[in-house]
Amino acid sequence: MAKATITAPTDAPETVAETAFRAGHVFDELGMAHDPNNLYLQTIDAVLSAAEILEVPHHLQIILAQPKNEIMVHFPVRMNDGSYTLCKGYRVQHNNALGPYKGGIRYHPDVTLDDVKALAALMTMKCSLVRVPFGGGKGGVKIDPRVLAGDELMRVTRRFVAAIAAHIGPDHDIPAPDVGTNAQVMAWFADTYQNIAGIKDRHDSVRVVTGKPIEMGGSVGREKATGQGLVDVVAEILPAEGLPLEGLRFSTLGYGNVGSWAARLMCERGAKLVATMDHTGAIFNDKGMDAELLAEHCVETGGVAGFGSTAAGHTKTGAHTQAGAEAISEEEFYKTKVDLFIPAALEQMIDQERAGWIDCKYYAEGANAPTTPTGERVLIKNGVEILPAILCNAGGVTVSYLEWVQNKQNVSWDIERVDSTLNKHMVLAARRTQLAKHRYEVDMRTAAYIASLDQISKVYAMRGIFP
Ligand code: GLU
C-alpha cells in the first residue's frame, strides 16, 4: 500500500481557455505575469472577478490587485551548534482601509513572497466579510520549525520581530499565529516588541500581536476559534439544507490546529470523523473516530499515523474500537464517501486529480486557499457545494479581534461571551454570503468575495482617494 502523505499538488494546466485569468486585463495594466499556477494571481483573479460582478470601480480594482507594502528581510540566527543561519522573512500589508493590517505569521520551509501576498489579500477579504475593523496582512519566515530546538525557534522569532518592528504596531499592523507558529511564538513576539517599543508605548504594546497565551493577555477561546468558526458556519448552513450535524460523516485533510478543533467540535455535535490525513499518513474508521483522543495522539507522536493501531479491540479485519482506525492510502482517503470534506492543511492541496477523487456533498475550507482553480472547477462540476475559506476560517481572526479589544480595555471576557460573539460574526457572515449568492446567482466563493467587497468599496467611496 502506498504511504499516504500530504504531497505537492500536481495540477497541470488544462487548456489555455480554462486557465486564462478573467482579470487578465488588470494584470496586463499592472505589468503582472500570467502564471496560472501562481497562488497570488489565482487569488486576485477570483477577487477581481467578483469585483466585476459587483461593478466595483476600476481604480479600486487596481488598488486591491497589489498589496500596499511588501516587506522582505534577511537576518542571521545563531544555531545551537554554534553555526549561523541566514533567514528570510516577509511581512505583506495588503490593505488597511477598514482598520490596521491584520494577519498571521507563518513558519514554513516553502514560504514565498507570492504566497504571503495571496494570504494577506485573503485576510483583507476575510476581515471585511466578518465585519471586524481590520485590514489584511500576512507574514512568514522561510524555516522549518519542526527541525529547530526550542531556543532556536525563540531566537528566530526575536530577530524577525526586530527586523520588522518598525513596520508593525498595536494600532498599525497586528500579527497572529498561522501555520507553524503558536501561542508560545506569540509570547516571544510580544516580549521582543515590548522591549523594542519606545518607553511611552511599552505598557500597551502587548496588543501588537494576538493569539498570545491566556496568562499574557490572550483570549480564552482563541486557540479553538478557527475550527469553531468553521463549525458555526457549517451548523448555520447544512441543517437548513436538510443535513443535520447529528450523524453527519466528515473527513479532514490536516489535523493541526484548525482540523483537530473543527473535528472535536463537530464530534461534540454528534458528527462522525471517518477519515483524516496529515503529513504522517491517512487513517479511517467507518464507525467514527474519537477526535479528542486523536488530538492527544497527535501531540504525543507528531501526527495521525498509528492512531488506534494498538487500541484494545482493534483488529485488522475491520472490527475497530471507537478509538481505533486503520491506515489507508492517500487515494483511499480522498475517495472516502462523506457528507462533508474539510481541507484544513496547506493551500493549493486540492488540485484537479484530488478534486476528482473527493466524494462529498459539502466542502468547507478550513485552510486558506486549499483549492486550485482547476480543482474548484472539478468540484463544482461534480455538484459539491464549496464553503469558501474567507468564510469558514474567519473565526481565528474574529477572536483575535476580541482579544485585541479586551487588551485595549484591560479586561478579560469569559468563554461564553467570546463564543457567542464569535458565533454572531460567523452566522452573519454566512447569511451575507448566502444573500449575495442568491442575489447575484453565483457560487459561494464569488458570493463571499462580493459580500466582502461590498463593505470595502463603500468605505473607499466615503473616504475617496488621498490627496
Ligand atoms: N492566521 C489566521 C488566519 O489565517 C489568523 C489571523 C489572525 O488572527 O490575525 O486567519
Side-chain angles (χ1 to χ4, degrees), residues 274 284-289 307-309 311-328:
V274 293
F284 169 78
N285 181 342
D286 197 43
K287 295 192 185 119
M289 293 174 249
F307 176 62
S309 55
H314 174 80
T315 71
K316 288 232 157 63
T317 56
H320 313 293
T321 62
Q322 271 298 99
E326 64 180 295
I328 53 172

Side-chain angles (χ1 to χ4, degrees), residues 345-417:
L346 289 172
E347 51 277 358
Q348 291 186 309
M349 299 292 309
I350 307 303
D351 56 14
Q352 191 176 357
E353 183 179 33
R354 291 171 185 159
W357 289 339
I358 290 174
D359 188 356
C360 68
K361 293 193 198 77
Y362 289 90
Y363 175 95
E365 294 181 333
N368 286 306
T371 319
T372 69
T374 50
E376 177 168 274
R377 273 195 289 275
V378 172
L379 291 174
I380 291 173
K381 192 177 84 213
N382 291 346
V384 174
E385 177 79 294
I386 301 173
L387 308 181
I390 65 157
L391 172 62
C392 288
N393 77 15
V397 74
T398 301
V399 178
S400 275
Y401 167 60
L402 305 183
E403 176 177 334
W404 185 81
V405 167
Q406 291 170 71
N407 291 166
K408 219 171 154 76
Q409 301 174 351
N410 257 314
V411 296
S412 308
W413 295 3
D414 58 27
I415 189 72
E416 287 76 23
R417 184 164 177 194

Side-chain angles (χ1 to χ4, degrees), residues 1 3 7 16 45 47 65 93 124 137 154 160 167 209 215 320 324 348 351 368 430:
M1 184 186 65
K3 188 171 172 337
T7 49
V16 173
D45 192 52
V47 171
Q93 298 169 331
T124 301
M154 180 188 72
F160 179 54
H167 305 284
V209 70
E215 299 80 356
H320 313 293
Q348 291 186 309
D351 56 14
N368 286 306

Side-chain angles (χ1 to χ4, degrees), residues 102-104 123 126 138 176-178 210 222 368 393 396-397 400:
K102 185 81 189 86
M123 288 307 302
K126 202 186 293 189
K138 200 83 173 195
D178 194 72
T210 58
R222 174 63 185 86
N368 286 306
N393 77 15
V397 74
S400 275

Side-chain angles (χ1 to χ4, degrees), residues 55-342:
E55 297 178 3
V56 169
H58 181 73
H59 73 271
L60 181 49
Q61 294 196 31
I62 57 174
I63 289 172
L64 293 171
Q66 288 286 20
K68 281 204 170 175
N69 303 308
E70 299 170 23
I71 300 144
M72 204 187 304
V73 294
H74 292 96
F75 53 93
V77 177
R78 185 172 44 79
M79 297 290 123
N80 286 348
D81 66 1
S83 67
Y84 288 85
T85 299
L86 191 71
C87 298
K88 194 189 233 338
Y90 308 94
R91 184 70 186 170
V92 172
Q93 298 169 331
H94 178 260
N95 190 275
N96 62 350
L98 300 186
Y101 302 108
K102 185 81 189 86
I105 300 277
R106 164 173 304 203
Y107 287 175
H108 195 277
D110 299 334
V111 165
T112 68
L113 176 62
D114 273 352
D115 289 351
V116 180
K117 283 170 64 176
L119 296 164
L122 288 171
M123 288 307 302
T124 301
M125 304 306 295
K126 202 186 293 189
C127 292
S128 175
L129 180 62
V130 287
R131 304 294 195 258
V132 298
F134 285 142
K138 200 83 173 195
V141 180
K142 195 173 164 57
I143 46 147
D144 185 353
R146 283 182 240 208
V147 304
L148 296 184
D151 45 356
E152 290 173 335
L153 200 61
M154 180 188 72
R155 287 197 292 275
V156 167
T157 303
R158 291 196 187 282
R159 277 301 300 244
F160 179 54
V161 177
I164 62 165
H167 305 284
I168 58 174
D171 294 301
H172 176 61
D173 183 357
I174 305 135
D178 194 72
V179 173
T181 56
N182 55 20
Q184 171 62 76
V185 173
M186 297 306 114
W188 292 323
F189 204 108
D191 180 72
T192 311
Y193 186 81
Q194 208 149 21
N195 277 285
I196 293 173
I199 195 87
K200 283 209 294 312
D201 300 326
R202 206 159 282 171
H203 69 287
D204 192 36
S205 54
V206 77
R207 267 192 312 121
V208 72
V209 70
T210 58
K212 298 178 289 288
I214 291 168
E215 299 80 356
M216 269 186 73
S219 178
V220 288
R222 174 63 185 86
E223 197 203 302
K224 63 173 178 154
T226 312
Q228 177 155 356
L230 184 145
V231 176
D232 284 347
V233 169
V234 165
E236 171 66 17
I237 294 179
L238 272 54
E241 297 187 359
L243 192 60
L245 266 48
E246 180 74 43
L248 176 147
R249 290 162 57 86
F250 73 101
S251 58
T252 74
L253 172 64
Y255 210 76
N257 176 278
V258 183
S260 74
W261 274 111
R264 280 178 267 184
L265 296 165
M266 287 292 291
C267 290
E268 266 179 26
R269 291 173 179 237
K272 277 187 188 161
L273 172 65
V274 293
T276 184
M277 180 169 99
D278 70 4
H279 62 286
T280 64
I283 56 172
F284 169 78
N285 181 342
D286 197 43
K287 295 192 185 119
M289 293 174 249
D290 185 319
E292 189 66 49
L293 282 181
L294 178 56
E296 284 168 22
H297 171 84
C298 289
V299 171
E300 279 158 25
T301 67
V304 301
F307 176 62
S309 55
T310 55
H314 174 80
T315 71
K316 288 232 157 63
T317 56
H320 313 293
T321 62
Q322 271 298 99
E326 64 180 295
I328 53 172
S329 70
E330 175 179 3
E331 194 169 331
E332 285 168 330
F333 164 75
Y334 285 109
K335 288 183 172 170
T336 302
K337 188 176 172 59
V338 285
D339 299 307
L340 172 69
F341 183 91
I342 304 175

